[in-house]
Amino acid sequence: MRIERYLRNMTLWHMLVGVLALATGVTYGLFQVLARAGIYKYGIFTYDTKLYYQGLTLHGVLNAIVFTTFFIVGFLYIVTEVSLKRKLNRWLVHLSFWTMLLGTLLASWAIFTNKATVLYTFYPPLQAHPAFYVGATLIIVGSWIAVLNTTLAFLAWRRENPGKLTPPPMVAVLTTYIVWFLATIGVAIEVLVFLIPWSLGIVKVVNPELARTLFWWFGHPLVYFWLLPAYLAWYFMLPRIAGGKLYSEPMARVVFIMFILFSLPVGTHHQFSDPGISSTWKAIQAFLTFMVAVPSLLTAFNLAASLEYAGRVRGGEGLFGWIRTLPWKDYRFAGMVGPMIVFIFGGISGIVNASYSVNQVVHNTSWIPGHFHMTVGTAAAMTFLTLSYILMEKLFGKRPWSKTWATIHAYLWVVGVLIFAWGMMQLGRAGIPRRTHLGLSPYMNLEEKVLMGIAAVGGTLMFTAVLIYFVNFLMTLFKRPDVPDTEEVDLEFTEAYHPEREDLPRSLDNFKLWIAVAVLLLIITYGPIFYDVLKATYFVPNAFSPFNPLNLIK
Ligand code: HAS
């Protein structure tokens, strides 16, 4: 497919903004983990409590929101054009990018000037400068423009190809955006109706519990907005890189549709300890959380079978001999299978979190950062970094400056994150809280200090790995192309061992149907929860901004 130069450049700009955000975010990540281990004085520079929370806000917002959103939007543009063989609207691409960039600059300004030290969850009554909320809104509005652009291209393709099944990678794109759009409605209501007027002083009161509930309506499906583009790569690119085929294409489609249904009505599993929501509805959402693990379990089987097929094609024999023959030295393989292996542990820890009563043990402890660095921090983020190398090659003909360092980066990150997560999760089991400057705390015993040291070693390895990535990516960016610029882009999507057949039930290609069911599920599960919350909780006049003198933030 011929991808115009403007879209290739715009995709690069999306990646560059994402990588810059990541570079800033991970630097603060290193400070966090060292500070918690008691290393927070560097000559005259002290990473004190104020910086800790400001840095944690930067870490969360820049890594989890800005890097991911920019990268995902840019990547999905290319997948859309390649799989539909249709052009996106050029002006909407620009409008979306500049809106998101303006939002990022506003929110970053507020955080860097310490006017929005509210962490990435911005729970009231912590209050940020209005610029932070407006910035967050613009990031979301910009991403909605990308959703609109993709939807228009898809609908035009549908009209031109009546009766044709949606290409499987496009199913992944649509699923990602459907989940994102339905999820962001929650946070849009929170920010537009409550937080912006409150931060501007137009409204004097806020209901923290209502705001939290709206946030988590968005906050959990958000994690699948991060995960699904990684799944797109694992399903439709990795099997071919491994030298084989995707085991079952229809199963892949079923998995993506299950995410539309089950990723939305589960946000309350972040609020098991919150007052105001009945335990019946918490239990129902706990059950639905187990349902949302099912598509990932199906994915594990489908992808393991695909890798086994590849290993056997490459000559692997016996029960496990096929694992040895897989291309472990290929940076693209290492950079996707590494995250998959880590995701096994990330997924298991998620199921622990979801188990209603066990959640009481791990909630708000260091266990949780252990969980999410293995999921968003590795399964999603590391796959995106691998994809950035692949996109540089496909869009600009530039292979990685060093394939060896790209492979080393992947394995070093895997080792680092496993050590980090192990340390954090052991601490969590001992009840050590998250989001706390433990280096300054008087109550850590020796065993806990050792575990914090282990987490710091893991965190330092992760930082080193990502530093290798930055150098390699920048060197790749500035080198001469390895192959002449033909403008033809082939993402080399994989073939399937069991492909989709034309007799596939048409309901599996009917996105309107699944959106309608998802909305219905949202209404059924969230209706009573909002009723509970509005009945049992209050609007309060408090507004805190802990590190600003006299709490005057404007
Ligand atoms: Fe989670 C908290 C439950 C998945 C991210 N999660 C978080 C937070 C984040 C996050 C950021 O129920 C913290 C939010 C905050 O700041 O407070 N999570 C789950 C469950 C899943 C899950 C059940 N989470 C994710 C993903 C994330 C993510 C994905 C990001 C991308 N999570 C929770 C809960 C909480 C939570 C509670 C709240 C905790 C609290 O109390 O605060 C499931 O979706 C996981 C299913 C996954 C699997 C693994 C499948 C494995 C695969 C790999 C196969 C590998 C192969 C390789 C084949 C079942 C697909 C083989 C290799 C060869 C060589 C053969």
Side-chain angles (χ1 to χ4, degrees), residues 120-121 123 216 220 223-224 226-227 231 234 269-270 272 289 292-293 296-297 299-301 303-304 307 322-323 326 328 333 337 340-341 343-344 346-348 350-351 353-355 359 362-364 368 371-372 375-376 380 434-435:
Y120 87 101
T121 40
Y123 295 141
W216 285 117
H220 196 78
V223 315
Y224 299 108
W226 297 328
L227 183 70
Y231 271 18
W234 297 357
H269 69 223
H270 294 263
F272 285 153
T289 306
V292 79
S296 287
L297 289 165
T299 299
F301 284 109
L303 294 180
L307 293 179
W322 56 272
I323 297 179
L326 290 169
W328 294 99
F333 183 83
V337 169
M340 283 165 66
I341 292 170
F343 189 51
I344 297 175
I348 294 171
I351 293 169
N353 300 345
S355 310
N359 181 274
V362 296
H363 183 60
N364 269 344
I368 304 299
H371 162 67
F372 67 68
T375 50
V376 60
R434 65 186 282 200
R435 296 177 156 177

Side-chain angles (χ1 to χ4, degrees), residues 4 49 133 139 157 174 191 223 271 276 278 326 346 349 390 424 453 474 493 501 523 529 533 540:
E4 280 177 40
T49 311
Y133 302 117
I139 296 176
W157 176 89
L174 293 173
V191 172
V223 315
Q271 297 178 278
S278 84
L326 290 169
S349 56
I390 294 177
M424 295 294 275
L474 285 179
F493 291 129
R501 296 197 319 235
I523 295 170
I529 288 175
V533 168
V540 291

Side-chain angles (χ1 to χ4, degrees), residues 135-267:
T137 307
L138 288 177
I139 296 176
I140 289 175
V141 170
S143 72
W144 281 354
I145 298 170
V147 175
L148 173 73
N149 201 351
T150 309
T151 310
L152 292 174
F154 174 67
L155 293 177
W157 176 89
R158 262 265 142 97
R159 281 194 299 275
E160 285 162 13
N161 297 273
K164 229 176 158 185
L165 281 174
T166 310
M170 197 57 206
V171 174
V173 173
L174 293 173
T175 308
T176 309
Y177 278 153
I178 292 168
V179 168
W180 176 246
F181 184 71
L182 293 178
T184 44
I185 294 173
V187 75
I189 299 173
E190 180 195 5
V191 172
L192 293 176
V193 178
F194 298 109
L195 301 188
I196 293 184
W198 175 62
S199 68
L200 287 168
I202 300 169
V203 172
K204 301 284 175 226
V205 288
V206 72
N207 181 332
E209 186 55 20
L210 179 62
R212 280 167 72 90
T213 310
L214 285 165
F215 181 86
W216 285 117
W217 159 351
F218 154 78
H220 196 78
L222 165 70
V223 315
Y224 299 108
F225 171 68
W226 297 328
L227 183 70
L228 291 174
Y231 271 18
L232 191 165
W234 297 357
Y235 270 109
F236 305 117
M237 296 166 86
L238 175 68
R240 182 152 167 186
I241 291 168
K245 294 180 180 179
L246 170 62
Y247 184 70
S248 169
E249 214 169 52
M251 180 58 82
R253 182 183 288 263
V254 170
V255 159
F256 283 105
I257 287 171
M258 286 177 89
F259 276 113
I260 301 181
L261 301 186
F262 296 119
S263 64
L264 287 142
V266 293

Side-chain angles (χ1 to χ4, degrees), residues 98-108 131-132 134-139:
W98 293 108
T99 310
M100 291 202 299
L101 188 64
L102 180 63
T104 301
L105 292 175
L106 277 177
S108 305
F132 175 81
V134 173
T137 307
L138 288 177
I139 296 176

